[in-house]
Amino acid sequence: MKKLAIAALAAAVLCGCSDSGADKVKMITEATFPPYEFLRGHEIVGIDVEICRAVAQKLGREFSCETVDFDSVIPAVISGKADLAAAGITITEDRKKNVDFSVPYVKTGIVVIYKKSVGFTGAEQLKGKKIGVQGGTTSETYVLNELKQEPERSRSPAESVAALKSGRVEFVIADIDPAKNCVKGEPDLAISDFITSEEYAIAIKKGQPELLKAINETIAEIKADGRLAKWIADYTAEADKLKDK
Ligand code: GLN
């Protein structure tokens, strides 16, 4: 508990977000998800951070960003603690019951991370196996709903991959981009093709049509003028380099 409080305080201080600025646009994320959000030293950076900063700019407001566990990202906008939830969040029917989603900004999906010595032949192979996933994600839902079993939950894709390397789990399921980042520099690990088709969007508290409109316009603009493509290229390269260190 104490550890969590210290981490939250550190995150708040490091991204310069005191609660005083009522008119700041507050983004909530989960910064273990490169290249969408990750830590550059103590600063939260990534594609999602740039998108939300562009939304704040469009609204003519200041911007701040905070990181929490993935499970707490959507609850933070429902409770009004934050304005924009952006954390590589997949649009799902279940989540749509609780939040409004922007238009999608990326098409993606989840993949299986496996040991080359074991190989991966298809979803059938996963049945009854110990599968590591980040808690609260569509990877967890996949194991629960499609494989009809309990996953081994962790707090980040990297933590699940550490469990795979040490033999505590037999496979990991994660979104493709953090999965690629995790297997970089790991000659014994590989990733499968997509096992789902998903889309990322920004989630906000329901009933804010003007904010939703501003977000959707921003997404259309950054797609059209090449900013989104540039952020994807730049942050993928930066996250890969961080892995090399
Ligand atoms: N896209 C996945 C989801 O929405 C994972 C997101 C994440 O772990 N940051 O559940």
Side-chain angles (χ1 to χ4, degrees):
M1 195 56 217
K2 199 167 169 197
K3 227 180 179 177
L4 271 183
I6 292 170
L9 184 67
V13 170
L14 294 168
C15 63
C17 42
S18 71
D19 270 343
S20 55
D23 42 25
K24 270 187 189 169
V25 174
K26 291 186 207 151
M27 168 184 176
I28 192 85
T29 191
E30 185 279 306
T32 72
F33 203 73
Y36 289 90
E37 37 271 324
F38 57 99
L39 295 176
R40 178 197 288 151
H42 296 302
E43 190 189 357
I44 306 165
V45 297
I47 301 157
D48 287 339
V49 183
E50 296 295 348
I51 298 173
C52 291
R53 202 193 315 274
V55 171
Q57 260 164 15
K58 184 172 195 69
L59 295 168
R61 286 162 59 187
E62 280 186 44
F63 173 70
S64 68
C65 175
E66 199 174 328
T67 179
V68 292
D69 279 352
F70 188 71
D71 291 11
S72 304
V73 170
I74 285 182
V77 288
I78 295 173
S79 71
K81 186 173 169 270
D83 305 298
L84 310 175
I89 301 175
T90 300
I91 303 172
T92 68
E93 290 309 313
D94 255 5
R95 291 173 180 163
K96 273 192 201 167
K97 291 177 197 154
N98 300 314
V99 286
D100 283 340
F101 278 105
S102 69
V103 293
Y105 56 88
V106 170
K107 276 196 193 329
T108 183
I110 58 177
V111 296
V112 178
I113 308 175
Y114 59 93
K115 286 189 172 153
K116 285 183 186 164
S117 59
V118 172
F120 177 68
T121 51
E124 272 302 305
Q125 193 188 354
L126 301 173
K127 292 232 167 99
K129 300 283 172 18
K130 279 194 175 170
I131 301 174
V133 300
Q134 180 179 17
T137 62
T138 46
S139 298
E140 174 182 290
T141 321
Y142 181 88
V143 178
L144 289 170
N145 296 351
E146 304 299 322
L147 303 175
K148 310 222 179 305
Q149 63 192 53
E150 281 295 317
E152 304 287 322
R153 296 172 181 85
S154 75
R155 291 179 66 191
S156 69
E159 205 178 299
S160 292
V161 169
L164 176 67
K165 284 167 68 183
S166 70
R168 277 176 285 134
V169 300
E170 297 167 276
F171 294 95
V172 169
I173 300 182
D175 289 36
I176 189 161
D177 296 294
K180 276 188 182 162
N181 185 260
C182 283
V183 303
K184 194 168 185 292
E186 302 287 353
D188 302 337
L189 301 181
I191 63 174
S192 73
D193 293 334
F194 287 120
I195 56 170
T196 62
S197 170
E198 307 185 10
E199 287 180 318
Y200 293 161
I202 295 175
I204 63 170
K205 187 180 182 148
K206 279 185 177 285
Q208 304 181 88
E210 303 226 322
L211 178 58
L212 200 58
K213 186 163 169 268
I215 299 168
N216 288 344
E217 284 174 5
T218 305
I219 291 174
E221 284 163 18
I222 61 172
K223 275 185 180 172
D225 66 15
R227 269 181 290 168
L228 179 60
K230 187 178 179 332
W231 293 332
I232 291 174
D234 289 353
Y235 284 105
T236 301
E238 179 175 347
D240 281 352
K241 261 201 220 116
L242 283 175
K243 243 333 270 269
D244 290 340
K245 280 187 186 160

